[in-house]
Amino acid sequence: MDREMLLMGALAGDIIGSRLEYSGLKQTDFDLFTSESSFTDDSILTMAVADAILNGLPYQKTIWDYANQHPHADYGGLFREWMASPNPQPYHSFGNGSAMRVSPVGWAFNDLDDVLI
């Protein structure tokens, strides 16, 4: 798979699922894109992680900047508190958001050593 397709797939999947997130839908035959489809907090912060990687920016500041440029996305309560902080620090996140937003790491790096650096 092309690396670009990985990132595009993550974003497309988020947008496709945006209108279904709280619906409990269990079927697979539905329209992929509708007028109700939209990017979400996960799309925004996935792009922030990609921007940080591509431009050598600090992850924390880049994520904070992107989040505050798009304050009306469906962020969790603890994340909103982090966004509002003038000095954002690590907090005890539930961790599911980071799993949604990690795809740029797989897109940019080919081995574990590069990821860890």
Side-chain angles (χ1 to χ4, degrees):
M1 176 189 301
D2 292 332
R3 291 178 355 157
E4 290 78 12
M5 295 301 292
L6 174 72
L7 188 55
M8 288 176 26
L11 295 172
D14 184 52
I15 293 166
I16 290 165
S18 65
R19 68 184 182 90
L20 306 170
E21 185 169 0
Y22 302 107
S23 73
L25 181 72
K26 302 291 185 206
Q27 61 195 62
T28 57
D29 59 336
F30 55 87
D31 292 330
L32 297 181
F33 297 99
T34 73
S35 61
E36 298 170 334
S37 302
S38 179
F39 65 88
T40 73
D41 57 323
D42 294 321
S43 295
I44 293 163
L45 299 182
T46 295
M47 293 307 298
V49 172
D51 189 10
I53 290 169
L54 289 171
N55 294 298
L57 302 171
Y59 290 97
Q60 178 177 327
K61 180 176 180 346
T62 306
I63 290 168
W64 189 87
D65 287 346
Y66 269 69
N68 281 288
Q69 289 169 15
H70 302 277
H72 301 295
D74 192 21
Y75 304 107
L78 290 174
F79 189 84
R80 284 193 177 282
E81 289 178 25
W82 182 84
M83 286 171 58
S85 173
N87 183 23
Q89 297 298 311
Y91 63 98
H92 299 290
S93 167
F94 294 116
N96 58 333
S98 60
M100 295 295 295
R101 301 158 188 162
V102 74
S103 59
V105 173
W107 173 77
F109 304 113
N110 291 320
D111 59 60
L112 180 58
D113 290 335
D114 288 339
V115 169
L116 295 175
I117 289 170

